[in-house]
C-alpha cells in the first residue's frame, strides 16, 4: 500500500506536459480534419501547415527536438511550399471548388478507417515486445536520430526528394501546357 503512494503521478493526475500534449493533439486533429474537408484548395494547404506545425509541437513536447526541426524544415518548409507552388503554377481556383468533391465521402471514410485500424494493428503488433532503454541515449536525440537516419533510412529520403522534384517538374509542365493551349485558342479566335 505504501509503495503505491510513492510511485508518483498516475493516470488520474496528469502533468502539465501531458495536458499540453493532449490539447495540441486535439488542435492538430481538428486542423487535419479541416484540411481534408474544406472545398478551398488554398485553405486546405494552409490548414495543412497548422496540422504539420502541431505535429512539430508534439515532437517538442516529447523532447525530440531534432525530429521537430526536421518536421518544420522538411514538411513545413518544403512540402507545403511545393504544394502552394503547384497550386499557383497549375492555376488552381482560389475560391470554392465544387469539383474538388467527388461525392465519394463514405467510401473514402471507410478506406480511411480500414487503413487507420490496419496501421494501428501493425504498429502495436510490431512493437509489442520492444522496450526503451531509459539508461541509454535519448531516443529523440540528434546523435541517435542521425545514426538511425544515415544507417537505415538514406534511400527512402533520397527517393522522397526525387519524388518531390518530379512533382514540381510535373506542375511546371502542366502550367506550360495550359499556357500554350490558351495562346493557341486566342490566336484561333483572332483569325476568324
Amino acid at each position: 500500500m505504501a509503495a503505491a503512494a510513492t510511485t508518483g503521478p498516475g493516470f488520474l493526475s496528469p502533468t502539465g506536459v501531458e495536458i499540453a500534449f493532449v490539447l495540441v493533439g486535439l488542435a492538430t486533429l481538428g486542423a487535419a480534419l479541416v484540411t481534408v474537408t474544406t472545398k478551398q484548395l488554398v485553405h486546405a494547404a494552409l490548414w495543412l501547415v497548422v496540422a504539420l506545425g502541431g505535429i512539430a509541437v508534439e515532437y517538442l513536447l516529447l523532447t525530440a527536438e531534432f525530429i521537430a526541426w526536421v518536421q518544420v524544415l522538411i514538411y513545413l518548409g518544403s512540402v507545403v511550399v511545393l504544394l502552394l507552388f503547384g497550386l499557383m503554377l497549375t492555376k488552381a481556383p482560389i475560391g470554392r471548388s465544387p469539383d474538388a468533391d467527388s461525392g465519394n465521402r463514405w467510401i473514402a471514410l471507410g478506406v480511411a478507417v480500414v487503413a487507420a485500424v490496419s496501421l494501428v494493428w501493425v504498429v502495436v503488433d510490431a512493437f509489442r515486445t520492444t522496450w526503451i532503454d531509459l539508461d541509454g541515449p535519448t531516443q529523440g536525440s540528434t546523435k541517435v536520430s542521425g545514426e538511425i537516419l544515415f544507417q537505415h533510412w538514406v534511400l527512402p529520403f533520397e527517393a522522397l526528394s526525387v519524388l518531390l522534384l518530379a512533382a514540381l517538374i510535373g506542375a511546371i509542365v502542366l502550367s506550360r501546357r495550359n499556357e500554350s493551349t490558351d495562346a493557341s485558342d486566342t490566336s484561333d479566335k483572332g483569325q476568324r
Side-chain angles (χ1 to χ4, degrees), residues 108-125:
L109 181 64
V111 169
V113 167
V114 168
V117 168
S118 300
L119 285 173
V120 167
W121 179 72
V122 166
V123 168
V124 167
D125 188 51

Side-chain angles (χ1 to χ4, degrees), residues 34-98:
V34 172
T35 299
V36 297
T37 57
T38 186
K39 292 188 180 193
Q40 297 183 2
L41 295 176
V42 176
H43 289 181
L46 296 176
W47 278 108
L48 182 63
V49 169
V50 174
L52 294 175
I55 292 172
V57 171
E58 295 283 55
Y59 285 134
L60 282 175
L61 290 172
L62 292 172
T63 65
E65 293 87 5
F66 177 70
I67 305 297
W69 287 115
V70 167
Q71 172 81 15
V72 169
L73 291 174
I74 292 177
Y75 289 103
L76 287 176
S78 52
V79 172
V80 173
V81 169
L82 181 68
L83 179 66
L84 289 173
F85 271 121
L87 288 173
M88 288 186 292
L89 288 173
T90 56
K91 297 178 183 169
I94 299 296
R96 288 190 164 271
S97 303

